[in-house]
Each structure stands twice: as structure tokens, then as C-alpha cells.
């Protein structure tokens, strides 16, 4: 599909994260020799950096390892709300985990929020930190969602959470009701982590970028990790998997217990004043809003359009849906940025955090859904305590080895049945289009040399061809025209237009094909 035919004139032609564009992040070397450390933290996002900082502060020799560059995964593409209001969740938590565990979930995320705020102050980090109320609302005409929201508020009351029921919110929207949770926060996440990285380095921390770690781990007293291509060894006492999708499985089959979703964000300059607050609509089509400051202007981040990875409509359409919503609500002067993010969700909605089932010195942190600002900090604080052999009250709640009978079994069966459907469906799809039909900056599934292939013609006219079989488990990837990537609908692996791995669980690039064959 040619984006010139569908892309709104207001939308930036290429996706770019405002957080990354407005941060001056340092670069770090690639590991080029064997390395010894106390703790190897694999993954340079929010969990990894926070855990590395905490453990270095506690006196450990810590090495942070990142396959690409730091903060270029979900952390760099978030809406950066720091809140314990995680959508319509607490009523379900009570049903499936019980009141005590639901209360612990709120408590752990609230403590994480306060830790982020106090750490920014302690380290003197200027990161646009603002206290804001969070609002979860239901549209006035959506009776079904309103009833669910009323149940959610009763769960707040049962748990003693400081939520308030409102009949109106400070947006030009007619709502049926809303839950307000006061004193939450928002910030610039990468400016925050710039300050934390400086503190980590001053504590003696070591960082390597462009250093992918393989799933191979040897366990002989200490642990030995291996780099993906160069086979360098990292010897450590403890290893932390903070790599979004766990680099180490240990028989846990995380690929079958996590499902990936994409969501989209516009940074708009509104025509009408935005009154502040952080908003999330309940219901089948969530919409998220929060303010942000940029070059002396007050912008609003408008998010939503969630869908299973590889299963969206034309991805420019998701951006245009957000543009229409924001235009109707606030009016739009300009749209400086647009971007998308990928999040992993566990079978029961609660992250997997803690010791691997088969090795107590390998620690897992994954499945934050869309609330990684607090839950990744929960993970870092928990894992830091576990490595230091300190008691932590949230260990059982987040145990990655758990398997709740309801809803986990239903979700497990449904999700993996869909994977099987995708696996077979991609294999039997008949493709008519030829690569020669593609215009500049257009990608599509094509028929090449009698077989299914992925083709992208770049703006200079060069054709790039790849085998569309995902290198993780053999599903067929689909073209994502909004991000110019190949996305796998089975387990969420993503690849660049020329086949390089963007996101796991795949670790091997797509096979390149010869356009001349």
C-alpha cells in the first residue's frame, strides 16, 4: 500500500518517538572480550537500568547488556504515565487473585511510583515530573462499560483505594461516570534515565550496547552467558532478564504465556486548552490523553488503537483514527510526532517477576501490559531485594511460575489456538502481487520465484526482499506500513524492512532473498 494515498497531511511521514528525539543519550561500546561481573542485567530499558542502578548502589559489580541501543524499546515509546490506575483491573484482580493480592498489587505499584518521584529528586534529575490525577471514564452512551466501571469503583471501595467517583471530567466530553485517582504523575522517561545512568556509572557500573545475549546459559556454580554472534562469555553470580521478552526460557514456555499488542501515539498541539490530568477511556476502544511540554509549547499525547501484533488494519489507519478523535475533542494545530509501542501481557494480566523456575540465580521480568512505568520499577525493586536475600512482600503475587486456573487456562487455550490458525493461514495464503508493482516507500507480501516473499521498495527505489517465515517458530510475518516493519502475528517478533530483528522472541534475522532471482 502506498502511504501517499492514505496518510493525512497533518501526520509526520515517518514515526519518531518524541522522548528519543528530545534526549541526548550517550553511546556505549560493544562487548569484544570475555567478561566477569557479579550481576549481568540483560536489557537496557526501564527494568534493566533501574535494577542495575539499585544493585550498583548496594555494592555489587553490575554489567548492563543491551542488544541494540539503550532505551530504544518500549521504554522509549511509552506514554510515560506513572500511575497505579491500570485500567479496568482491580475488580478482576479481586475475582482471580483475592482481595489481599489485589491490595498488594495496588500497594506495590504505588510504592514504585513514589520511589520514581523520590529518586528523581534525590539524584537531582530534571525530567518534567508533574503530579497529576488519573481518570478512568466511560462514555455516556456506553451503558455496558458504565456498569463495569461502577463495579470497578466498588472494587476500589472494597480495597480502600483513594479513588473518587465523578459524574463529569475536565475534558469536553459527556461521560457516564469516571474514577479519579489523585496524586499520580507523568514525566519525560528518557531524561529520567539519563540521570540514573550517570548515577549507575558513578557507582562503577559497566554498559555494553550492540551485545545480544543468546538463550544458552551454562550453570556450574556461577552462570555463564554467551553473546549471540561472537560467542564471548559473561561469567556472573546472578543474571537478570530485563529484555522485554525473556532471553532465557528455562522450560517456562513464555512464548505461549505472553501475547503481544501494539498501540499508537500522536503528540498534538491542540487548538483549545487542555485542562490537565491523565485520562483513559474504558471500553472496547480505549483512548489515552496526557499533557507534555515541548519547545515552549503545551502538547497532548493521544494514544490508543490497541491490536494484536500483526493483526491490525492498515497501520496508518490507526494513526488517522487517533487524529480524528483528537481533532474532534481538542482541535489540532500541528502533529510534531507519531509513534507506536509493543507491550506483552501475561495470561492473567499480572506481570511475571522473580526467580526462574529452574535456576534461582536467573531472574525474570516481563509482561507489563501497558503499565511499565510502575510495574518495571516494581520488578527492579523486587529483584534487587531477591538478589540481596531480602524479604519482599510481593514475591508470591508476581511469581513467574504461577498458573492461575481462571482465567489463565482459558486465555492459554484461546491464544495458542489463534497461533495455530495464524501458522497455518499464512502458509496457505495465495499471493497475486508482484514486487515490480511496488512504488517507492511501499511494502507488501508478493509472489517471488513462485513463493511468498516480503518486499519493500525504499524511497530511493531499491527493492529489499525477505523470506516471510518468522525465525522463531515458523509463522508468516505481515507488513506494517505505519512502522515499515515485518510483524509476526503469532508471538510478536518484529523485523526491519530488510529482516533485522527489532523485537523478540525471534533472535535470528529473516532470510534475505535475491531480487534478481
Amino acid at each position: 500500500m502506498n502511504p501517499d494515498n492514505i496518510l493525512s497531511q497533518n501526520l509526520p511521514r515517518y514515526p519518531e518517538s518524541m522522548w528519543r528525539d528530545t534526549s541526548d543519550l550517550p553511546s556505549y561500546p560493544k562487548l569484544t572480550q570475555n567478561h566477569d561481573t557479579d550481576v549481568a542485567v540483560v536489557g537496557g530499558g526501564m527494568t534493566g537500568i533501574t535494577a542495575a542502578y539499585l544493585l550498583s548502589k548496594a555494592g555489587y559489580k553490575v554489567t548492563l547488556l543491551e542488544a541494540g541501543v539503550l532505551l530504544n524499546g518500549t521504554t522509549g515509546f511509552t506514554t510515560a504515565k506513572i500511575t497505579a490506575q491500570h485500567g479496568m483491573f482491580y475488580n478482576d484482580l479481586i475475582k482471580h487473585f483475592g482481595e489481599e493480592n489485589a491490595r498488594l498489587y495496588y500497594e506495590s505499584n504505588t510504592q514504585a511510583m513514589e520511589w520514581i518521584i523520590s529518586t528523581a529528586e534525590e539524584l537531582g534529575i530534571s525530567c518534567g515530573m508533574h503530579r497529576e490525577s488519573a481518570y478512568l471514564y466511560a462514555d455516556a452512551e456506553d451503558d455496558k462499560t458504565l456498569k463495569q466501571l461502577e463495579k470497578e469503583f466498588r472494587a476500589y471501595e472494597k480495597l480502600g483505594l483513594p479513588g473518587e467517583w465523578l459524574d463529569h471530567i475536565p475534558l469536553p466530553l459527556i461521560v457516564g461516570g469516571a474514577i479519579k485517582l489523585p496524586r499520580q504523575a507523568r514525566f519525560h522517561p528518557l531524561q529520567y534515565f539519563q540521570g540514573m545512568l550517570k548515577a549507575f556509572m558513578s557507582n562503577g557500573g559497566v554498559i555494553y550496547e550492540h551485545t545480544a545475549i543468546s538463550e544458552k546459559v551454562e550453570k556450574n556454580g556461577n552462570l555463564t552467558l554467551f553473546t549471540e554472534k561472537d560467542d564471548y562469555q559473561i561469567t556472573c553470580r546472578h543474571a537478570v532478564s530485563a529484555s522485554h521478552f525473556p532471553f532465557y526460557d528455562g522450560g517456562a514456555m513464555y512464548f505461549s504465556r505472553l501475547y503481544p499488542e501494539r498501540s499508537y501515539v500522536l503528540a498534538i498541539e491542540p487548538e483549545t486548552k487542555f485542562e490537565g490530568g491523565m485520562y483513559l477511556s474504558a471500553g472496547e476502544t480505549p483512548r489515552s490523553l496526557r499533557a507534555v511540554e515541548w519547545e515552549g509549547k503545551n502538547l497532548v499525547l493521544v494514544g490508543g488503537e490497541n491490536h494484536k501484533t500483526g493483526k491490525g488494519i492498515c497501520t496508518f489507519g490507526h494513526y488517522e483514527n487517533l487524529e480524528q478523535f483528537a481533532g474532534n475533542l481538542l482541535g489540532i494545530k500541528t502533529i510534531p510526532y507519531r509513534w507506536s509501542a509493543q507491550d506483552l501481557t501475561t495470561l492473567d494480566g499480572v506481570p511475571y517477576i522473580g526467580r526462574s523456575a529452574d535456576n534461582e540465580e536467573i531472574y525474570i521480568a516481563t509482561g507489563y501490559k501497558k503499565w511499565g512505568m510502575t510495574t518495571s520499577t516494581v520488578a527492579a525493586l523486587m529483584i534487587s531485594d531477591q538478589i540481596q536475600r531480602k524479604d519482599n512482600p510481593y514475591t508470591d503475587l508476581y511469581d513467574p511460575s504461577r498458573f492461575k486456573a481462571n482465567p489463565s487456562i482459558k486465555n492459554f487455550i484461546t491464544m495458542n489456538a489463534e497461533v495455530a490458525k495464524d501458522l497455518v493461514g499464512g502458509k496457505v495464503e495465495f499471493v497475486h502481487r508482484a514486487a515490480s508493482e511496488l512504488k517507492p516507500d511501499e511494502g507488501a507480501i508478493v509472489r517471488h520465484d513462485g513463493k511468498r516473499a516480503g518486499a519493500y521498495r525504499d524511497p530511493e527505489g531499491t527493492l529489499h526482499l525477505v523470506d516471510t517465515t518468522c525465525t522463531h517458530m515458523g509463522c508468516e510475518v505481515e507488513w506494517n506500513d505505519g512502522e515499515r516493519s515485518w510483524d509476526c502475528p503469532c508471538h510478536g517478533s518484529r523485523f526491519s524492512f530488510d529482516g533485522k530483528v527489532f523485537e523478540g522472541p525471534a533472535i535470528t534475522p529473516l532470510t534475505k532473498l535475491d531480487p534478481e532471482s
Side-chain angles (χ1 to χ4, degrees):
M1 183 174 291
N2 185 354
D4 287 334
N5 296 333
I6 57 174
L7 184 58
S8 161
Q9 295 300 307
N10 290 326
L11 289 168
R13 184 171 184 81
Y14 296 103
E16 182 176 32
S17 162
M18 185 186 73
W19 310 128
R20 290 198 60 83
D21 190 49
T22 56
S23 302
D24 186 19
L25 294 168
S27 59
Y28 300 91
K30 178 180 179 179
L31 181 67
T32 57
Q33 61 185 7
N34 292 342
H35 182 74
D36 184 76
T37 188
D38 292 335
V39 185
V41 179
V42 180
M46 189 163 188
T47 304
I49 294 172
T50 306
Y53 165 71
L54 285 163
L55 290 162
S56 69
K57 189 177 178 182
Y60 289 81
K61 180 181 177 182
V62 183
T63 301
L64 183 61
L65 303 152
E66 166 57 42
V69 296
L70 296 185
L71 298 166
N72 198 34
T74 302
T75 304
F77 295 84
T78 175
T79 54
K81 295 177 177 179
I82 315 172
T83 178
Q85 188 181 71
H86 294 178
M88 300 260 270
F89 195 45
Y90 287 101
N91 184 54
D92 283 343
L93 269 178
I94 290 173
K95 283 196 291 186
H96 301 307
F97 284 77
E99 283 188 36
E100 180 58 28
N101 279 322
R103 197 171 289 109
L104 287 172
Y105 183 91
Y106 171 79
E107 179 184 293
S108 63
N109 281 276
T110 299
Q111 286 182 359
M113 177 182 71
E114 297 299 337
W115 187 89
I116 293 169
I117 295 168
S118 63
T119 298
E121 183 176 351
E122 176 188 332
L123 297 178
I125 302 172
S126 177
C127 56
M129 187 74 73
H130 290 274
R131 287 280 193 178
E132 294 265 29
S133 292
Y135 299 83
L136 179 65
Y137 68 89
D139 291 335
E141 298 179 357
D142 190 346
D143 291 337
K144 178 182 176 182
T145 300
L146 180 58
K147 290 177 181 178
Q148 293 172 338
L149 188 66
E150 290 169 346
K151 290 181 181 178
E152 182 73 5
F153 184 64
R154 288 196 289 273
Y156 275 51
E157 292 180 315
K158 189 176 291 186
L159 297 172
L161 309 190
E164 307 169 31
W165 182 266
L166 302 177
D167 294 321
H168 308 280
I169 59 175
L171 287 178
L173 280 174
I174 300 174
V175 301
I179 302 172
K180 174 184 176 181
L181 191 62
R183 291 188 59 75
Q184 308 301 287
R186 61 175 174 87
F187 69 157
H188 189 308
L190 269 58
Q191 289 175 353
Y192 170 77
F193 285 111
Q194 280 180 271
M196 187 173 286
L197 285 167
K198 288 179 182 177
F200 171 62
M201 297 295 281
S202 69
N203 291 341
V206 177
I207 300 174
Y208 292 107
E209 292 182 323
H210 306 290
T211 303
I213 301 301
S214 77
E215 59 188 7
K216 175 184 175 183
V217 177
E218 290 184 356
K219 311 160 196 174
N220 294 310
N222 287 332
L223 302 172
T224 303
L225 313 185
F226 297 85
T227 59
E228 181 61 39
K229 292 182 179 179
D230 303 311
D231 210 29
Y232 296 120
Q233 299 181 13
I234 300 98
T235 304
C236 56
R237 292 161 52 200
H238 317 277
V240 179
S241 176
S243 52
H244 193 54
F245 198 97
F247 83 93
Y248 178 79
D249 188 86
M253 293 175 44
Y254 289 111
F255 65 85
S256 68
R257 299 168 57 211
L258 293 160
Y259 62 91
E261 282 193 335
R262 297 203 66 73
S263 56
Y264 300 80
V265 182
L266 299 180
I268 71 160
E269 183 184 1
E271 290 180 344
T272 59
K273 183 179 179 182
F274 183 74
E275 297 295 336
M278 303 186 298
Y279 301 87
L280 180 66
S281 64
E284 295 182 358
T285 309
R287 292 287 183 261
S288 166
L289 298 105
R290 58 148 286 192
V292 65
E293 295 72 38
W294 174 74
E295 295 187 349
K297 298 178 180 180
N298 295 316
L299 304 185
V300 179
L301 301 187
V302 183
E305 290 292 298
N306 307 346
H307 68 86
K308 189 177 185 294
T309 299
K311 289 283 194 172
I313 60 172
C314 166
T315 48
F316 282 114
H318 294 295
Y319 288 114
E320 291 183 322
N321 289 344
L322 291 178
E323 180 188 16
Q324 182 178 9
F325 168 76
N328 291 338
L329 183 68
L330 300 168
I332 299 174
K333 293 181 181 178
T334 61
I335 305 176
Y337 298 96
R338 67 176 176 93
W339 68 88
S340 68
Q342 182 154 304
D343 296 278
L344 295 173
T345 301
T346 68
L347 295 174
D348 56 28
V350 174
Y352 299 139
I353 304 169
R355 290 185 174 92
S356 171
D358 73 328
N359 192 300
E360 66 174 13
E361 297 308 339
I362 300 178
Y363 300 83
I364 304 297
T366 189
Y368 302 149
K369 205 160 43 176
K370 301 190 182 303
W371 303 106
M373 295 298 97
T374 54
T375 51
S376 63
T377 304
V378 170
L381 291 165
M382 276 183 57
I383 289 171
S384 175
D385 280 350
Q386 290 172 342
I387 287 176
Q388 296 178 69
R389 302 302 190 251
K390 295 180 180 178
D391 290 335
N392 187 289
Y394 314 118
T395 297
D396 290 341
L397 170 63
Y398 292 101
D399 183 0
S401 300
R402 72 179 186 276
F403 195 85
K404 293 286 180 180
N406 187 6
S408 293
I409 289 177
K410 178 182 177 181
N411 290 345
F412 180 85
I413 293 170
T414 301
M415 186 174 74
N416 287 286
E418 187 171 347
V419 166
K421 180 182 176 182
D422 290 332
L423 180 61
V424 174
K427 304 296 184 188
V428 300
E429 174 189 8
F430 188 77
V431 180
H432 297 275
R433 197 166 188 190
S436 59
E437 300 174 18
L438 296 182
K439 298 176 182 179
D441 196 25
E442 185 178 10
I445 301 297
V446 300
R447 195 141 186 97
H448 173 73
D449 199 21
K451 298 179 181 178
R452 187 184 202 269
Y456 172 70
R457 192 177 298 281
D458 67 28
E460 288 71 40
T462 302
L463 182 65
H464 304 267
L465 278 176
V466 296
D467 186 328
T468 57
T469 302
C470 178
T471 57
H472 174 229
M473 291 189 71
C475 293
E476 297 298 313
V477 299
E478 299 292 341
W479 177 246
N480 176 338
D481 51 21
E483 317 303 317
R484 292 162 179 79
S485 64
W486 297 106
D487 297 356
C488 179
C490 289
H491 302 111
S493 297
R494 297 183 63 234
F495 306 84
S496 67
F497 66 84
D498 57 355
K500 298 183 182 71
V501 177
F502 271 168
E503 297 190 57
I507 57 177
T508 303
L510 296 176
T511 301
K512 290 185 179 182
L513 302 177
D514 183 1
E516 302 301 324
S517 64

